[in-house]
Amino acid sequence: MGSVIDSSTSLLAAQTHDIVRFAMGAPAAEVIPTEEFRQIAGEVLTDASFTYGATEGEPELITTVTEQFSSGSTDPERIVITSGGMQGLDLAFKLFTDPGDLVVVESPTYTNGSGTALSYGADVLEVPVDNNGMDIDALETLVAETGRTPRMIYTIPNFQNPSGTTLSEDRRRRLLNLAHQWGAMILDDDPYGACASPAIPFPASERSAG
Ligand SMILES: Cc1ncc(COP(=O)(O)O)c(C=O)c1O
């Protein structure tokens, strides 16, 4: 038995006309540097590439990720390379939430993300998304209505899946302040930030959530 996304993918595979899919993220082919990847793979692949490496990830990749995404402010020992985004989401919910914890998710959101929170017994609170990402006024109101504070806020701040919106800088700051106030963790699911044009708040030194 698969996820909702698996079912929609099979349904769509049977269609012959052009379809924009809002389930799995599918960046436009032209933003993927396929030729560069081919060239780099040709340079780095050796016979030794096809065996197990360090569990936490290849040291060189960890160094690069640390420099690129934290401007060097994070200790490389705090970085773990996962097998895709889903493993990261699974680990984060498994490690940082307990059954009955309040977890904020965007509405709509990536259902495999919210589904993972539910699978660990979280109470999921849906907060609407508008043209500037998660509606922070609604977040404050809806959380206040629960009489509780969230343990985790799951957000997709860049090119949100499925809405495609990007969280504005002002909202990022407000979200960060609220998370501090509540003692909540922000789970920043950002598979698409690296596809950003210079107009989008990137690199990491300019990003506030995460
Ligand atoms: C927002 C978001 N997070 C996570 C994932 C899953 O990533 P992966 O395929 O690397 O597990 C997707 C895939 O579409 C996604 O859109």
Side-chain angles (χ1 to χ4, degrees):
M1 206 174 76
S3 67
V4 175
I5 288 178
D6 289 333
S7 328
S8 72
T9 303
S10 324
L11 265 178
L12 294 179
Q15 308 295 318
T16 48
H17 52 278
D18 264 0
I19 284 181
V20 177
R21 299 194 299 169
F22 288 98
M24 264 180 276
E30 58 268 25
V31 301
I32 313 282
T34 313
E35 197 38 55
E36 281 94 330
F37 283 158
R38 203 193 313 278
Q39 210 177 319
I40 293 165
E43 286 164 19
V44 300
L45 283 185
T46 66
D47 289 345
S49 305
F50 299 96
T51 185
Y52 291 106
T55 302
E56 65 276 16
E58 290 302 318
E60 243 180 283
L61 183 55
I62 289 182
T63 307
T64 306
V65 166
T66 309
E67 284 165 2
Q68 290 255 319
F69 293 95
S70 78
S71 317
S73 61
T74 296
D75 188 337
E77 287 186 2
R78 300 185 59 159
I79 306 288
V80 174
I81 308 295
T82 59
S83 298
M86 272 316 301
Q87 192 194 0
L89 291 177
D90 184 69
L91 281 174
F93 284 118
K94 186 190 294 185
L95 291 173
F96 301 120
T97 60
D98 292 314
D101 278 347
L102 189 65
V103 170
V104 169
V105 305
E106 291 159 342
S107 178
T109 189
Y110 177 58
T111 55
N112 283 349
S114 52
T116 305
L118 287 168
S119 78
Y120 287 110
D123 286 348
V124 165
L125 178 69
E126 295 185 24
V127 175
V129 166
D130 64 19
N131 284 343
N132 293 308
M134 190 193 296
D135 179 341
I136 306 296
D137 289 333
L139 170 68
E140 283 198 82
T141 308
L142 291 167
V143 166
E145 279 171 12
T146 67
R148 305 166 61 187
T149 51
R151 178 80 176 274
M152 175 97 87
I153 302 165
Y154 169 56
T155 177
I156 305 163
N158 295 315
F159 310 123
Q160 205 257 7
N161 182 359
S163 71
T165 58
T166 289
L167 194 63
S168 67
E169 188 173 339
D170 170 59
R171 288 190 182 185
R172 286 172 197 242
R173 291 185 196 286
R174 288 182 61 202
L175 182 61
L176 206 53
N177 284 335
L178 285 170
H180 278 306
Q181 193 181 309
W182 291 327
M185 183 173 286
I186 295 178
L187 179 50
D188 173 354
D189 186 9
D190 187 19
Y192 311 116
C195 304
S197 74
I200 305 296
F202 196 80
S205 57
E206 290 168 34
R207 296 191 305 161
S208 49

